[in-house]
Amino acid sequence: MGALTERAAGLLAAHRWAAGPTLVSTVASGTAAATTLVIARGVGAAAFGHFTVVLSIALIVTVGMLMSLNSVMFQELPRAESAARSARLKAELLKTELVTTALLCTLVLGAVVFAAGMLAAPLLTGALGVDTRTLAFALALALSMTLNQLTESFLRGLKRFRLVAGLKLAVAVAYLGGAAFFLLVLGLRDAEPYLVALIGTNLVFALVSFAGFEVAPRTWSRALARSIYRHGAYVTVIGALTAVVFGVDVIFLNHWAPRADVGVYSVYNGFPKRLLGVVFTDGVGLVLLPTLATSDKPAVMRRIARLAPAVFTATAVFAFAASTVFFLLVGGEYPYSLGLMALSAIGIGAHTVFNLQQVALTMDGVRGARVLIGCLLAGTPLALACQAALIAWQGLVGGLVAFALSNLVLVAVVTAVSTRLYRPAGASEVRG
């Protein structure tokens, strides 16, 4: 026990530098989440349902535009010092090459995906159950989110932690102020102005972030482009599968239920998921991810399996308790139900366990990525079948049940596979 305490104290001391940026970044993400609640309360359930549909489609499209280059930059930019020494290059030049190549490739790919989406609008609108204007907003939001995430990864990869945290907070406050102005002064109750504001703040962040890195078009490298896209390919597959399994439920609900139900579902399910993302991305992520990268993966997976019941229970209880605050803020158009919130809490608890498993496997490089992809391929068809059947049958209630079941299915598959493949030292393990 004493050794564990000393190790924890050492870990905290080694990462004390992260306290300030982590706090500011978490406050920024919390402010952005609060803005979502403000919008939900102000525009009403139907308009917020429209907002949620656009955001859900954008999150899926972002995977194809970004191709996980943000994850690649998190790893490759910090490694540039040692890579430059081994290749007898200047580290700053290599970093500029990485940033320039990733940015130019993403701009081209993003433009191509946007154009292709608009050209395919007659097919996509029918498949997604939306109109062309909604699709255009989703594609534009996806492009802005792609540039936001990529430029943030540049700043984090170059260790400009204070800059990225300050920018995130400034943009989040501006978005909250804009939303409040639209509601209280202009009285806007349509989703589109708030989508325009979200797109605009994403682009402002991307533009201002250029102060923290250098772009030199002449340093673009075809060989480097191949390398970073190859590096991101496995993570992209994981991102695509998770975006589908945790994004299609809103599209199903938009197809089979009234749009107001989509807005209510977003409050019960979407907002707790966003808060969970804040904790993983801006909270424990700064320290957890580097630690997992060098940890013994069989031991990590066994520890997660042992902790899963406690993590599930704690997260579910917290989500259930916090729901009172959510619904006090969003108002009467979003009816509070103990039964619905209980279903939501169960889903959030299971989703937290799956997120822990996903992070641990992703940080095991190619081996872990292959294992996770296999688990997703095995579990996703059953999860999607549950979502389609339950949402078509029970609408909002079916969506909450389906979300919980989807996560439980994936947790069960990952647990079974990792128990078999991630064995203690001395036993046979996966090699990759």
Side-chain angles (χ1 to χ4, degrees), residues 316-340:
V317 169
F318 175 78
F320 188 87
S323 67
T324 303
V325 178
F326 299 163
F327 282 88
L328 283 174
L329 291 173
V330 297
E333 279 201 52
Y334 304 86
Y336 183 75
S337 162
L338 289 176
L340 292 180

Side-chain angles (χ1 to χ4, degrees), residues 63-69 72-73 76 101-110 146 150 220-236:
V63 176
M65 288 184 173
L66 190 55
M67 290 295 289
S68 300
L69 291 197
V72 175
M73 293 299 110
E76 294 301 326
T101 301
L103 180 61
L104 294 182
C105 287
T106 300
L107 286 172
V108 172
L109 180 59
T146 295
L150 183 65
W220 182 87
S221 167
R222 179 179 297 179
L224 194 55
R226 286 197 300 268
S227 175
I228 60 177
Y229 274 112
R230 184 167 60 246
H231 189 162
Y234 282 108
V235 184
T236 299

Side-chain angles (χ1 to χ4, degrees), residues 34-69:
T35 304
T36 304
L37 279 181
V38 170
I39 295 170
R41 179 185 178 90
V43 303
F48 189 59
H50 184 204
F51 183 97
T52 302
V53 169
V54 172
L55 180 60
S56 298
I57 296 172
L59 288 170
I60 295 173
V61 176
T62 299
V63 176
M65 288 184 173
L66 190 55
M67 290 295 289
S68 300
L69 291 197

Side-chain angles (χ1 to χ4, degrees), residues 363-426:
M363 294 308 293
D364 193 27
V366 173
R367 173 176 73 164
R370 287 174 176 171
V371 171
L372 184 55
I373 289 170
C375 292
L376 286 168
L377 289 174
T380 295
L382 179 58
L384 293 181
C386 286
Q387 291 177 22
L390 289 170
I391 290 173
W393 178 37
Q394 289 293 320
L396 172 63
V397 175
L400 293 172
V401 173
F403 178 73
L405 287 177
S406 297
N407 280 282
L408 290 172
V409 166
L410 293 175
V411 167
V413 172
V414 172
T415 301
V417 172
S418 61
T419 299
R420 177 181 176 84
L421 300 181
Y422 283 81
R423 297 176 180 175

